[in-house]
Amino acid sequence: MSAHTSQRLGDAVIGLALAALGVWGTWVAQGTGLGTAEEPGPGMFPAAVCVLLTLGGLGCAWRAWRLTTGNEGKRWIDGTALLALMQIVMLAVLFVPLGMPLTGFLFVCGMTRTLGDIPWRKAVITGAVSVAVFWLMFDVLLSVQLPYGWWVSR
């Protein structure tokens, strides 16, 4: 198997894994209540994001599989892509038990370090500001109840 074929196969596998995560997330979000267009439930936004993740993952897999020329890869799956995929899976798994504030903060910090290669200080600031903005937008302005996590008594 050539390096290009193995890179193409690795990209397709990552795309399919993201699509599978999106399908699973959509299924989980339906259990939390989607609500209506007038009154969205807590599962509406996660379901929409997961549908987009599914479509994006399938699109990436399709594009990778159809790719016939391009960069010659040396690895089956790039380490950065694998680390980013692991962080997305951890976000999905830990979102309800740890809650949106902590999980979102860890996810944004990790992804900005992984994909942006920025210093930890900027990653922490970006994570804190992102979580504050998301919290304000969804919990306060849209009244969409986000999970706080088991460690917060409310």
Side-chain angles (χ1 to χ4, degrees):
M1 183 181 324
S2 73
H4 176 68
T5 302
S6 65
Q7 179 67 41
R8 183 181 77 174
L9 180 60
D11 290 347
V13 168
I14 292 289
L16 291 175
L18 290 173
L21 180 64
V23 168
W24 176 78
T26 304
W27 177 71
V28 170
Q30 288 178 352
T32 61
L34 297 178
T36 65
E38 293 85 28
E39 297 232 2
M44 179 70 79
F45 181 72
V49 169
C50 288
V51 166
L52 292 175
L53 180 62
T54 301
L55 295 174
L58 290 174
C60 288
W62 180 77
R63 180 179 172 268
W65 196 251
R66 291 191 34 97
L67 189 64
T68 56
T69 61
N71 297 337
E72 295 295 322
K74 294 181 181 174
R75 296 187 186 137
W76 189 66
I77 296 177
D78 181 63
T80 302
L82 187 59
L83 185 58
L85 178 63
M86 289 177 12
Q87 290 177 57
I88 292 169
V89 170
M90 294 308 295
L91 172 71
V93 171
L94 298 176
F95 191 76
V96 173
L98 292 184
M100 184 275 184
L102 181 57
T103 308
F105 173 75
L106 294 173
F107 177 73
V108 171
C109 287
M111 289 300 268
T112 53
R113 285 284 300 157
T114 301
L115 300 178
D117 196 29
I118 66 171
W120 274 111
R121 181 178 173 170
K122 286 185 180 180
V124 167
I125 292 169
T126 303
V129 169
S130 297
V131 166
V133 168
F134 278 14
W135 194 265
L136 177 68
M137 187 168 55
F138 289 101
D139 198 60
V140 177
L141 298 176
L142 296 174
S143 298
V144 175
Q145 181 65 44
L146 297 171
Y148 288 91
W150 60 268
W151 54 278
V152 176
S153 61
R154 182 174 163 167

Short mmCIF file of all heavy atoms in Angstrom, two decimals, residues 83-110:
data_model
loop_
_atom_site.label_atom_id
_atom_site.label_comp_id
_atom_site.label_asym_id
_atom_site.label_seq_id
_atom_site.Cartn_x
_atom_site.Cartn_y
_atom_site.Cartn_z
N LEU A 83 -5.50 13.14 17.91
CA LEU A 83 -5.66 13.84 19.18
C LEU A 83 -6.94 14.70 19.18
O LEU A 83 -7.68 14.73 20.16
CB LEU A 83 -4.43 14.70 19.48
CG LEU A 83 -4.40 15.40 20.83
CD1 LEU A 83 -4.50 14.40 21.97
CD2 LEU A 83 -3.12 16.23 20.96
N ALA A 84 -7.19 15.37 18.07
CA ALA A 84 -8.42 16.18 17.96
C ALA A 84 -9.65 15.29 18.03
O ALA A 84 -10.63 15.63 18.69
CB ALA A 84 -8.40 16.99 16.66
N LEU A 85 -9.62 14.14 17.36
CA LEU A 85 -10.75 13.20 17.41
C LEU A 85 -10.98 12.70 18.83
O LEU A 85 -12.12 12.63 19.29
CB LEU A 85 -10.50 12.03 16.46
CG LEU A 85 -11.58 10.96 16.44
CD1 LEU A 85 -12.90 11.54 15.93
CD2 LEU A 85 -11.15 9.79 15.57
N MET A 86 -9.91 12.39 19.54
CA MET A 86 -10.04 11.93 20.92
C MET A 86 -10.67 13.02 21.80
O MET A 86 -11.50 12.73 22.67
CB MET A 86 -8.69 11.51 21.48
CG MET A 86 -8.19 10.23 20.88
SD MET A 86 -6.55 9.64 21.38
CE MET A 86 -6.07 10.59 22.76
N GLN A 87 -10.32 14.28 21.56
CA GLN A 87 -10.90 15.37 22.34
C GLN A 87 -12.39 15.54 22.04
O GLN A 87 -13.18 15.83 22.94
CB GLN A 87 -10.14 16.67 22.06
CG GLN A 87 -8.75 16.66 22.63
CD GLN A 87 -7.99 17.91 22.30
OE1 GLN A 87 -8.42 19.01 22.61
NE2 GLN A 87 -6.84 17.75 21.67
N ILE A 88 -12.78 15.34 20.79
CA ILE A 88 -14.20 15.43 20.43
C ILE A 88 -14.97 14.31 21.11
O ILE A 88 -16.07 14.53 21.65
CB ILE A 88 -14.38 15.38 18.90
CG1 ILE A 88 -13.81 16.66 18.28
CG2 ILE A 88 -15.84 15.20 18.52
CD1 ILE A 88 -13.71 16.61 16.77
N VAL A 89 -14.41 13.11 21.13
CA VAL A 89 -15.08 11.98 21.79
C VAL A 89 -15.20 12.26 23.29
O VAL A 89 -16.26 12.02 23.89
CB VAL A 89 -14.32 10.67 21.53
CG1 VAL A 89 -14.84 9.54 22.40
CG2 VAL A 89 -14.42 10.29 20.05
N MET A 90 -14.14 12.78 23.90
CA MET A 90 -14.19 13.09 25.33
C MET A 90 -15.22 14.17 25.63
O MET A 90 -15.90 14.12 26.66
CB MET A 90 -12.80 13.51 25.84
CG MET A 90 -11.77 12.39 25.81
SD MET A 90 -12.31 10.86 26.62
CE MET A 90 -12.45 11.39 28.30
N LEU A 91 -15.36 15.14 24.74
CA LEU A 91 -16.40 16.17 24.92
C LEU A 91 -17.77 15.52 24.95
O LEU A 91 -18.59 15.82 25.82
CB LEU A 91 -16.32 17.20 23.79
CG LEU A 91 -17.46 18.23 23.75
CD1 LEU A 91 -17.33 19.21 24.91
CD2 LEU A 91 -17.46 18.98 22.44
N ALA A 92 -18.02 14.63 24.02
CA ALA A 92 -19.33 13.97 23.95
C ALA A 92 -19.58 13.10 25.18
O ALA A 92 -20.69 13.10 25.73
CB ALA A 92 -19.42 13.12 22.68
N VAL A 93 -18.58 12.41 25.63
CA VAL A 93 -18.74 11.49 26.77
C VAL A 93 -18.87 12.25 28.09
O VAL A 93 -19.67 11.87 28.95
CB VAL A 93 -17.56 10.50 26.82
CG1 VAL A 93 -17.57 9.68 28.10
CG2 VAL A 93 -17.60 9.58 25.60
N LEU A 94 -18.14 13.32 28.26
CA LEU A 94 -18.10 14.02 29.55
C LEU A 94 -19.04 15.21 29.66
O LEU A 94 -19.16 15.80 30.73
CB LEU A 94 -16.66 14.50 29.83
CG LEU A 94 -15.61 13.40 29.95
CD1 LEU A 94 -14.23 14.01 30.12
CD2 LEU A 94 -15.94 12.47 31.10
N PHE A 95 -19.73 15.57 28.58
CA PHE A 95 -20.55 16.78 28.57
C PHE A 95 -21.63 16.77 29.66
O PHE A 95 -21.79 17.74 30.39
CB PHE A 95 -21.20 16.98 27.20
CG PHE A 95 -21.85 18.31 27.04
CD1 PHE A 95 -21.08 19.44 26.83
CD2 PHE A 95 -23.22 18.46 27.09
CE1 PHE A 95 -21.65 20.69 26.67
CE2 PHE A 95 -23.82 19.70 26.93
CZ PHE A 95 -23.03 20.82 26.73
N VAL A 96 -22.34 15.68 29.80
CA VAL A 96 -23.41 15.62 30.82
C VAL A 96 -22.85 15.37 32.21
O VAL A 96 -23.20 16.09 33.15
CB VAL A 96 -24.49 14.59 30.43
CG1 VAL A 96 -25.49 14.39 31.56
CG2 VAL A 96 -25.20 15.03 29.15
N PRO A 97 -21.96 14.38 32.41
CA PRO A 97 -21.49 14.15 33.79
C PRO A 97 -20.70 15.31 34.39
O PRO A 97 -20.88 15.64 35.55
CB PRO A 97 -20.62 12.90 33.69
CG PRO A 97 -20.67 12.42 32.31
CD PRO A 97 -21.46 13.38 31.48
N LEU A 98 -19.82 15.93 33.61
CA LEU A 98 -19.03 17.04 34.15
C LEU A 98 -19.67 18.39 33.95
O LEU A 98 -19.29 19.37 34.58
CB LEU A 98 -17.63 17.05 33.52
CG LEU A 98 -16.71 15.91 33.88
CD1 LEU A 98 -15.34 16.10 33.26
CD2 LEU A 98 -16.59 15.74 35.39
N GLY A 99 -20.63 18.47 33.04
CA GLY A 99 -21.33 19.72 32.79
C GLY A 99 -20.67 20.54 31.68
O GLY A 99 -19.51 20.34 31.33
N MET A 100 -21.46 21.47 31.16
CA MET A 100 -20.99 22.30 30.05
C MET A 100 -19.83 23.21 30.43
O MET A 100 -18.87 23.32 29.68
CB MET A 100 -22.16 23.11 29.50
CG MET A 100 -21.80 23.94 28.29
SD MET A 100 -21.10 25.53 28.79
CE MET A 100 -20.91 26.30 27.23
N PRO A 101 -19.86 23.88 31.60
CA PRO A 101 -18.77 24.81 31.89
C PRO A 101 -17.39 24.15 31.92
O PRO A 101 -16.47 24.58 31.24
CB PRO A 101 -19.13 25.40 33.25
CG PRO A 101 -20.59 25.21 33.38
CD PRO A 101 -20.90 23.94 32.63
N LEU A 102 -17.25 23.08 32.68
CA LEU A 102 -15.94 22.43 32.81
C LEU A 102 -15.55 21.70 31.53
O LEU A 102 -14.42 21.85 31.04
CB LEU A 102 -15.96 21.46 33.99
CG LEU A 102 -14.65 20.72 34.26
CD1 LEU A 102 -13.51 21.71 34.49
CD2 LEU A 102 -14.81 19.78 35.45
N THR A 103 -16.47 20.93 30.95
CA THR A 103 -16.16 20.18 29.74
C THR A 103 -15.86 21.12 28.58
O THR A 103 -14.91 20.91 27.82
CB THR A 103 -17.32 19.24 29.36
OG1 THR A 103 -17.65 18.45 30.50
CG2 THR A 103 -16.94 18.34 28.22
N GLY A 104 -16.66 22.17 28.42
CA GLY A 104 -16.43 23.14 27.35
C GLY A 104 -15.09 23.84 27.51
O GLY A 104 -14.37 24.03 26.53
N PHE A 105 -14.75 24.21 28.73
CA PHE A 105 -13.47 24.86 29.00
C PHE A 105 -12.30 23.95 28.62
O PHE A 105 -11.38 24.36 27.92
CB PHE A 105 -13.38 25.26 30.48
CG PHE A 105 -12.04 25.79 30.88
CD1 PHE A 105 -11.65 27.06 30.51
CD2 PHE A 105 -11.18 25.01 31.62
CE1 PHE A 105 -10.40 27.56 30.89
CE2 PHE A 105 -9.93 25.49 32.00
CZ PHE A 105 -9.54 26.77 31.63
N LEU A 106 -12.36 22.70 29.08
CA LEU A 106 -11.28 21.75 28.77
C LEU A 106 -11.19 21.49 27.27
O LEU A 106 -10.09 21.40 26.71
CB LEU A 106 -11.51 20.44 29.53
CG LEU A 106 -11.38 20.52 31.05
CD1 LEU A 106 -11.80 19.20 31.67
CD2 LEU A 106 -9.98 20.92 31.46
N PHE A 107 -12.34 21.38 26.61
CA PHE A 107 -12.36 21.12 25.17
C PHE A 107 -11.75 22.28 24.38
O PHE A 107 -10.89 22.08 23.52
CB PHE A 107 -13.79 20.86 24.70
CG PHE A 107 -13.91 20.66 23.22
CD1 PHE A 107 -13.46 19.49 22.63
CD2 PHE A 107 -14.46 21.64 22.42
CE1 PHE A 107 -13.56 19.31 21.26
CE2 PHE A 107 -14.57 21.47 21.05
CZ PHE A 107 -14.11 20.30 20.47
N VAL A 108 -12.17 23.50 24.68
CA VAL A 108 -11.65 24.66 23.94
C VAL A 108 -10.15 24.83 24.21
O VAL A 108 -9.38 25.08 23.28
CB VAL A 108 -12.44 25.95 24.29
CG1 VAL A 108 -11.77 27.17 23.70
CG2 VAL A 108 -13.87 25.84 23.80
N CYS A 109 -9.74 24.67 25.45
CA CYS A 109 -8.30 24.77 25.76
C CYS A 109 -7.51 23.71 24.99
O CYS A 109 -6.48 24.01 24.38
CB CYS A 109 -8.05 24.58 27.25
SG CYS A 109 -8.55 25.96 28.27
N GLY A 110 -7.99 22.48 25.03
CA GLY A 110 -7.28 21.40 24.35
C GLY A 110 -7.23 21.58 22.85
O GLY A 110 -6.18 21.38 22.22
#
